Amino acid sequence: MILSESIEDYLKAIYALKKEVGKVVTTQLAERLEVKPASVTGMVRKLADMKLVTYKPYQGVALTKAGQKVALEVIRHHRLLELYLNEIMGLPWDKVHQEAEKLEHAISEELEDRIDQLLGHPTTDPHGSPIPSKAGKVNNSSSKKLSEMKRGEKAKIAEVRDEDSELLRYVGELGLFPGKSFEVVNVAPYKGPMTLKIKSKKIIVGREAAKQILVNKISAWN
Amino acid sequence: MILSESIEDYLKAIYALKKEVGKVVTTQLAERLEVKPASVTGMVRKLADMKLVTYKPYQGVALTKAGQKVALEVIRHHRLLELYLNEIMGLPWDKVHQEAEKLEHAISEELEDRIDQLLGHPTTDPHGSPIPSKAGKVNNSSSKKLSEMKRGEKAKIAEVRDEDSELLRYVGELGLFPGKSFEVVNVAPYKGPMTLKIKSKKIIVGREAAKQILVNKISAWN
DNA sequence: GATATTATTTAGGTAAACCTAAATAATATG
DNA sequence: CATATTATTTAGGTTTACCTAAATAATATC
Ligand SMILES: [Mn+2]
Ligand SMILES: [Mn+2]
Ligand SMILES: [Mn+2]
Ligand SMILES: [Mn+2]
């Protein structure tokens, strides 16, 4: 099965939107892929012909088993590449997404396997997103947004949106990397900044940025 | 300047053919790129419009300064990638060409620079081909074919054709890597095999394979 | 030097992945 | 519930990079 770069990107976007908003509609897909809605309609019909998605006009799109398999393969490429570029090659974590976006379509299955091996079969990328296994299993931690946390709650950074380079630089400077534990010591009103404590060091993060950060709560009785 | 993958491959092929046979004609370009001659005519006209080549119908194509610059940039990507894949990632030397053929169009200039740095600014790829510098300088050693050597002559392996995986596996098993010194101890008649001596070890290589191997003669008075 | 062969170009088409503008369907509002 | 707004689709183009078939130019052969 030789699929075009565009097709791979559509399937990936459908997978992501499904995860993020539940339903996948034309306009949102168009916005994410930076094409016009009319183009999405055309492509989605084609994907339906290829049995990669199911599609009912005005109702939305959903991946079939086959479509999901392709999406997960591309996502696996993407996240393995991000981790390799960051960890082994030393590229900053705000640069790797863009690079991986192109490379994900270019690497062979053999190179994918080699990268996986060199990284020791990792399960998360530099931004905390799970790397699907070769077989297509994904660890989907049910995490919540940092922005929704209350004063006094403790949590661990799970995942940071990886598309926005500026956000990543900001968050990186604050030291908010996946895996870091912290406590919310203050939440300013009027959508104001949050103050966090990481190992007795206080840091302040804007509420907008906090919306882009997913965390796993640490239960009080731990 | 954003050039398509096809355009980059045309320019690279024109560069290579110029080097190999001196003149670049439609049919050969078509054969190398695995497209029909009519398609080459079309693309070459387009490249001429873009001032990347000069073209006279029925006469042949030649790269302009701008065209050569692009060709050398793509070749630099290709060869740096081959070396990285082989040396750092441990891919066998008969696999790296195919992989680099796709990746060369996908990596950013920043990643190119990082690879160059991690490799210590290398000057040749795993098959012995020179890596053009960032500025576009290429070391073109004037080497001859192994197949044309006579009994008793000494030389060093310079370069092995990199497109044919089977050839590379064969040559690799014989230990004929770029840099290896040897002496021709016998040349069988009727286009028969050649016997070489590398550090007192004798190896036999077919004449067809020997045509694909370039060497630098070691002068007798050395 | 006429004729056959080979190389190349021209003309007209196709497929993929976009686009714009207009039509239609779904949803929201007074 | 009639009308306005928004979402989506349809229809008809465009661009890129191919293709085939036919025409033409260059070269080789008798
Ligand atoms: Mn992509
Ligand atoms: Mn990521
Ligand atoms: Mn190569
Ligand atoms: Mn290529």
Side-chain angles (χ1 to χ4, degrees):
Chain A
M1 208 194 323
I2 326 123
L3 301 173
S4 72
E5 202 164 311
S6 285
I7 288 178
E8 290 187 348
D9 281 339
Y10 270 86
L11 295 173
K12 198 159 63 113
I14 293 165
Y15 182 91
L17 276 180
K18 165 76 179 182
K19 183 124 299 167
E20 286 164 31
V21 296
K23 201 185 168 189
V24 186
V25 295
T26 307
T27 331
Q28 283 208 297
L29 207 41
E31 196 182 340
R32 174 175 287 245
L33 292 165
E34 296 182 270
V35 299
K36 295 286 131 80
S39 305
V40 170
T41 302
M43 179 59 102
V44 149
R45 300 211 101 105
K46 182 174 153 182
L47 294 175
D49 283 349
M50 299 170 81
K51 308 284 185 198
L52 292 169
V53 305
T54 53
Y55 176 57
K56 284 213 172 161
Y58 296 97
Q59 300 301 107
V61 208
L63 294 173
T64 61
K65 270 269 143 63
Q68 185 176 66
K69 185 163 173 259
V70 175
L72 289 173
E73 277 175 11
V74 181
I75 292 168
R76 178 172 163 82
H77 282 191
H78 183 98
R79 295 183 180 164
L80 281 172
L81 281 162
E82 282 190 347
L83 192 61
Y84 187 88
L85 292 167
N86 181 237
E87 196 147 285
I88 311 281
M89 302 195 71
L91 261 70
W93 83 330
D94 63 295
K95 291 275 169 62
V96 296
H97 175 78
Q98 211 196 348
E99 199 80 42
E101 202 56 49
K102 286 208 73 186
L103 291 173
E104 65 189 9
H105 309 289
I107 63 169
S108 69
E109 290 304 290
E110 292 78 49
L111 186 53
E112 173 203 317
D113 293 346
R114 185 67 186 138
I115 292 170
D116 182 47
Q117 188 185 18
L118 290 168
L119 289 168
H121 312 289
T123 56
T124 55
D125 80 7
H127 316 104
S129 302
I131 299 172
S133 77
K134 193 94 186 165
K137 289 253 174 254
V138 208
N139 264 6
N140 274 307
S141 61
S142 55
S143 30
K144 62 183 287 190
K145 290 180 181 173
L146 170 58
S147 57
E148 286 158 6
M149 289 186 72
K150 309 268 176 265
R151 165 185 206 143
E153 289 180 329
K154 292 178 181 178
K156 204 179 251 200
I157 305 286
E159 210 168 319
V160 184
R161 272 263 141 61
D162 71 352
E163 301 97 31
D164 187 342
S165 209
E166 201 189 328
L167 171 76
L168 288 170
R169 273 196 304 278
Y170 173 42
V171 171
E173 272 161 30
L174 294 174
L176 293 174
F177 296 105
K180 295 278 175 183
S181 297
F182 64 91
E183 182 184 337
V184 178
V185 296
N186 193 46
V187 179
Y190 291 108
K191 299 181 181 173
M194 304 174 77
T195 307
L196 312 180
K197 200 174 68 184
I198 302 186
K199 292 192 182 183
S200 82
K201 204 186 133 207
K202 280 191 186 156
I203 62 167
I204 296 172
V205 57
R207 197 73 70 90
E208 276 308 307
K211 279 187 194 165
Q212 309 302 317
I213 299 173
L214 298 180
V215 301
N216 284 322
K217 272 188 72 171
I218 297 167
S219 309
W221 37 267
N222 260 351
Chain B
M1 207 195 323
I2 327 126
L3 302 173
S4 72
E5 203 165 311
S6 285
I7 288 177
E8 291 187 349
D9 281 341
Y10 270 86
L11 296 173
K12 198 161 61 114
I14 293 165
Y15 182 91
L17 275 180
K18 164 78 178 180
K19 183 124 299 168
E20 285 165 31
V21 295
K23 201 184 167 189
V24 185
V25 294
T26 308
T27 331
Q28 282 206 297
L29 207 40
E31 196 181 342
R32 175 176 286 244
L33 291 164
E34 296 182 272
V35 300
K36 296 283 130 83
S39 305
V40 169
T41 301
M43 179 59 102
V44 150
R45 301 210 101 105
K46 182 173 155 183
L47 295 176
D49 284 350
M50 298 171 83
K51 308 283 185 198
L52 292 168
V53 304
T54 54
Y55 176 56
K56 286 213 172 161
Y58 294 98
Q59 299 301 106
V61 207
L63 295 173
T64 61
K65 270 270 143 60
Q68 185 176 65
K69 184 161 174 264
V70 175
L72 288 172
E73 276 175 12
V74 181
I75 292 168
R76 178 171 162 83
H77 283 191
H78 182 97
R79 294 183 180 162
L80 281 172
L81 281 161
E82 282 191 347
L83 191 61
Y84 187 88
L85 291 166
N86 181 237
E87 195 147 284
I88 312 282
M89 301 194 71
L91 260 70
W93 85 330
D94 62 295
K95 292 274 169 63
V96 295
H97 174 79
Q98 212 197 345
E99 199 81 41
E101 202 57 48
K102 286 208 74 186
L103 291 173
E104 65 189 11
H105 309 289
I107 63 169
S108 69
E109 290 302 290
E110 292 77 50
L111 186 52
E112 174 203 317
D113 293 346
R114 186 66 187 136
I115 292 171
D116 183 47
Q117 188 185 19
L118 290 168
L119 289 168
H121 312 290
T123 56
T124 55
D125 80 8
H127 316 105
S129 301
I131 299 172
S133 77
K134 193 94 186 166
K137 290 250 174 259
V138 208
N139 264 6
N140 273 308
S141 61
S142 56
S143 30
K144 61 184 286 190
K145 289 180 181 172
L146 170 58
S147 58
E148 286 158 7
M149 289 186 72
K150 310 268 177 263
R151 164 183 207 146
E153 289 180 330
K154 292 178 181 178
K156 206 178 247 198
I157 306 286
E159 210 169 318
V160 184
R161 271 263 141 63
D162 71 352
E163 301 98 28
D164 186 342
S165 209
E166 201 189 329
L167 171 76
L168 287 169
R169 273 196 303 279
Y170 172 42
V171 171
E173 271 162 30
L174 294 175
L176 293 174
F177 296 104
K180 295 279 175 181
S181 298
F182 64 90
E183 182 186 336
V184 179
V185 297
N186 193 45
V187 179
Y190 291 108
K191 300 180 181 175
M194 304 174 78
T195 308
L196 313 179
K197 198 173 71 185
I198 303 186
K199 293 191 182 183
S200 82
K201 204 185 135 208
K202 281 191 185 155
I203 62 166
I204 298 172
V205 56
R207 196 74 68 90
E208 275 307 309
K211 280 188 194 165
Q212 310 300 318
I213 300 173
L214 297 180
V215 300
N216 285 321
K217 270 188 75 172
I218 297 168
S219 308
W221 39 266
N222 261 352

